[in-house]
Amino acid sequence: MQNENLRLYFVTGNKSKFNEVSKIFQTQKVKFTLQQLNLETIEIQADNINDVALFKLNSVKDKINSSFFIEDSGFFVDKPLKGFPGVYSSYVFKSIGDEGILRLIDDFEGSRAHFSAVIALYFKPLDKILIFEGEVRGKVSDKIKGKGGFGFDPIFIPDLIPNKTFSELSPQEKNEISHRGQAIRKLISFLKRNF
Ligand code: ITT
């Protein structure tokens, strides 16, 4: 039987998130075996994603007997939408989608946007909760471009690769600069330091 101390669950219903994270784990020498766990979590409507992430973690903590983490992320159109959809990203994507966001914007060149990710980890060997964050800045594309990724990827142009949307990048290229990639690499450094 596998050593339970070396099992790490990523509690998420979003297969695309899991696939991105799992690719990073494969390229790093991590002793932990990563596994997706699709458990119902509770997402409160707070105005910052750190609070959402901690609540989400605590909503399933009693049901899991291993180390595990959850991730809460969002797409923020800082200019001209003052941060919308932000903490409502999941719902807004399902309701109005990428097209709906584009209809709200006139000046794409002058737009600003970012993705944020907060990972909350329950690390069983130390009985501790830890937070890891990542953020990537850019602007909104004037049209939907690319086939890769998920969610708002086809309309986000990162500052670091200013001629492509996230959907036009390979999974590795997106992971190298994305909010999720940054947060996961911090989590992996923690695991390497502590196990
Ligand atoms: P879980 O809560 O089960 O993990 P979820 O998709 O509901 O899955 P969130 O509540 O964190 O996850 O919602 C974040 C939403 O923000 C997500 O559904 C996407 O619409 C968007 N989003 C987050 N990261 C993204 C990324 O890397 N690329 C594109 N869209 C992203």
Side-chain angles (χ1 to χ4, degrees):
M1 209 186 95
Q2 198 192 9
N3 181 350
E4 274 302 313
N5 273 336
L6 291 178
R7 189 190 294 277
L8 180 62
Y9 289 110
F10 179 9
V11 178
T12 179
N14 185 326
K15 189 77 192 154
S16 304
K17 278 186 180 182
F18 180 78
N19 289 342
E20 288 185 5
V21 166
S22 149
K23 279 212 167 68
I24 301 180
F25 266 75
Q26 282 157 22
T27 61
Q28 307 253 347
K29 289 199 172 57
V30 189
K31 285 192 194 131
F32 288 80
T33 310
L34 184 71
Q35 215 172 304
Q36 182 179 4
L37 190 59
N38 190 351
L39 275 185
E40 191 82 17
T41 54
I42 299 175
E43 288 206 25
I44 50 163
Q45 291 299 359
D47 56 12
N48 74 77
I49 60 176
N50 287 47
D51 290 351
V52 181
L54 280 175
F55 201 92
K56 202 165 164 179
L57 181 100
N58 282 313
S59 73
V60 288
K61 191 162 172 283
D62 291 343
K63 298 185 184 140
I64 307 171
N65 195 24
S66 297
S67 295
F68 74 97
F69 64 92
I70 57 92
E71 187 235 53
D72 205 72
S73 44
F75 178 56
F76 299 75
V77 180
D78 303 300
K79 208 172 153 201
L81 305 183
K82 300 190 163 82
F84 180 82
V87 291
Y88 308 105
S89 292
S90 181
Y91 173 73
V92 169
F93 183 75
K94 285 181 202 137
S95 50
I96 64 170
D98 291 326
E99 294 88 354
I101 296 289
L102 295 190
R103 263 186 252 118
L104 301 173
I105 301 173
D106 305 317
D107 174 16
F108 291 93
E109 264 316 302
S111 69
R112 294 300 301 154
H114 72 272
F115 278 110
S116 284
V118 175
I119 287 175
L121 166 74
Y122 171 66
F123 191 59
K124 195 152 185 271
L126 301 177
D127 189 28
K128 260 194 167 175
I129 292 173
L130 295 118
I131 297 281
F132 306 94
E133 296 175 77
E135 186 174 289
V136 57
R137 299 198 161 268
K139 64 180 182 190
V140 183
S141 165
D142 61 357
K143 49 182 162 317
I144 291 173
K145 273 169 68 192
K147 300 223 178 305
F150 68 101
F152 298 104
D153 283 344
I155 60 167
F156 177 72
I157 301 177
D159 288 339
L160 290 169
I161 310 177
N163 53 346
K164 285 185 179 170
T165 66
F166 258 5
S167 280
E168 295 178 294
L169 303 180
S170 69
Q172 290 76 6
E173 285 172 323
K174 178 182 169 188
N175 268 339
E176 266 167 37
I177 59 172
S178 78
H179 50 314
R180 181 165 303 105
Q182 295 171 39
I184 281 293
R185 282 189 294 274
K186 290 179 189 167
L187 179 148
I188 290 176
S189 316
F190 167 81
L191 294 177
K192 286 184 171 168
R193 280 197 308 274
N194 286 279
F195 229 85

